[in-house]
Amino acid sequence: MLVSLAGYGISPQSPPIVVHQDQVSAASPATRAEERLDAMSTADRDRVQATLAAAGRDERPYVVEVVAAGHSAAEVASFARLISGKRPRWLQTHLDLLDPDGSGWVAYRSSPVQQPDDTSCGPMTILMARAISDPFYSLYLTTGDTTDRADAGAEQFQARLTAEEHRIHAETNRFWPQSLGSTPLGMSNELNRYAAALGTRYQARPADGSTLSDAAEAAGNGQPVPVLIGDWIPRHYILLIGRAGGDLIYYEPGYATVGHISEQDFVQGKIDVIGFHRIFAVVRPH
């Protein structure tokens, strides 16, 4: 029997923090958090439940997401301590790198969440996929996991962002030149290192009708999906991050923006993002 989070005002049907209210995830953070709690030792479970009970109303959903991401009881307690007493605006700024309304420029304190060079779009979509799935990871990027305000500035954030992108790029391109970008297989291998936080494993697939439909459905369920687009050759990755009405929401790392594309057009293989019109592959949950 799974441990219930209902006593903390959070149900398994509760939507993720940065997902529109019309989205229903088959594996919501609350559901995965209950599964994590059920698998813990009695001591760790008691510690996490005490941490949840002590968390403020605005803090608690983020703590649940950290539990869902597979962090240890000690890490959950550390995260809760770092965000304790913070105002909703602070929580949104430091833990939600994407604007919850699903449109506009993506930045932290006017510092763009943007790929640092022409070949790092893939690693940046992986970074963003992790950031929207694991608030503790976002907190590291924005603050360095400290309470020192000097570590939470835009310059420090950009340094951590660039260093993390370089680390991810080295992992995705172990057997492929970085100057040629990241392959879908390299992307899926790196994403699968964080399967616990993402709540799923990933598989690289060429774009066809069923694959694109699966990718759209996954994005609609709040699961981030990297998509390789281009013209006559593959050129660029974007990240599907959700659904709004009849549109899919995507993060574009080249210009650090969030935009919308027609879900119907996407499933039919039609796309128009920064001048690219062809979908080559997706790295989708499976």
Side-chain angles (χ1 to χ4, degrees):
M1 180 176 180
L2 293 179
V3 176
S4 175
L5 294 178
Y8 304 108
I10 298 170
S11 73
Q13 288 74 38
S14 298
I17 296 297
V18 193
V19 176
H20 285 244
Q21 295 294 327
D22 65 347
Q23 299 169 355
V24 179
S25 173
S28 71
T31 297
R32 289 190 285 121
E34 288 186 345
E35 293 171 351
R36 301 289 186 197
L37 280 168
D38 195 55
M40 289 180 180
S41 68
T42 300
D44 283 348
R45 183 164 57 248
D46 289 347
R47 184 177 185 183
V48 170
Q49 289 180 318
T51 300
L52 284 165
R57 182 184 62 182
D58 295 318
E59 303 156 15
R60 194 171 298 131
Y62 293 103
V63 178
V64 169
E65 285 196 323
V66 170
V67 177
H71 289 282
S72 68
E75 289 169 335
V76 172
S78 176
F79 173 80
R81 184 170 59 253
L82 288 168
I83 69 169
S84 178
K86 301 299 185 183
R87 295 180 181 274
R89 181 63 179 172
W90 188 98
L91 295 171
Q92 180 179 330
T93 298
H94 293 82
L95 305 180
D96 294 334
L97 289 181
L98 288 179
D99 190 333
D101 72 4
S103 63
W105 193 44
V106 183
Y108 168 75
R109 294 190 170 181
S110 299
S111 180
V113 186
Q114 184 177 29
Q115 64 188 79
D117 56 58
D118 291 341
T119 64
S120 57
C121 52
M124 278 303 298
T125 62
I126 291 176
L127 183 151
M128 186 57 76
R130 287 190 65 195
I132 64 178
S133 302
D134 184 356
F136 211 164
Y137 183 63
S138 293
L139 187 67
Y140 161 71
L141 293 172
T142 57
T143 71
D145 289 344
T146 75
T147 56
D148 188 343
R149 290 187 178 183
D151 289 330
E155 183 177 345
Q156 290 77 11
F157 166 76
Q158 197 58 237
R160 284 188 291 269
L161 190 76
T162 300
E164 182 66 357
E165 182 281 322
H166 288 165
R167 184 196 65 77
I168 296 171
H169 208 169
E171 293 295 333
T172 59
N173 289 63
R174 288 187 176 187
F175 308 107
W176 184 257
Q178 289 192 16
S179 60
L180 298 179
S182 300
T183 67
L185 180 59
M187 294 279 291
S188 64
N189 288 341
E190 180 65 7
L191 283 166
N192 286 335
R193 295 181 62 194
Y194 314 111
L198 296 168
T200 185
R201 292 185 62 81
Y202 281 79
Q203 183 180 45
R205 300 290 297 174
D208 59 34
S210 62
T211 296
L212 295 177
S213 180
D214 289 345
E217 184 65 22
N221 286 335
Q223 296 175 307
V225 181
V227 179
L228 180 59
I229 62 177
D231 37 42
W232 59 281
I233 61 172
R235 293 281 191 179
H236 192 55
Y237 282 97
I238 61 173
L239 184 71
L240 300 182
I241 57 174
R243 177 190 286 133
D247 289 345
L248 296 174
I249 309 169
Y250 68 88
Y251 161 68
E252 194 287 297
Y255 292 92
T257 57
V258 171
H260 292 220
I261 52 177
S262 162
E263 181 172 355
Q264 182 177 359
D265 285 349
F266 177 84
V267 170
Q268 294 174 354
K270 302 173 184 177
I271 197 167
D272 184 3
V273 175
I274 61 171
F276 296 130
H277 301 279
R278 183 176 176 185
I279 305 172
F280 284 86
V282 298
V283 187
R284 64 171 177 81
H286 77 103

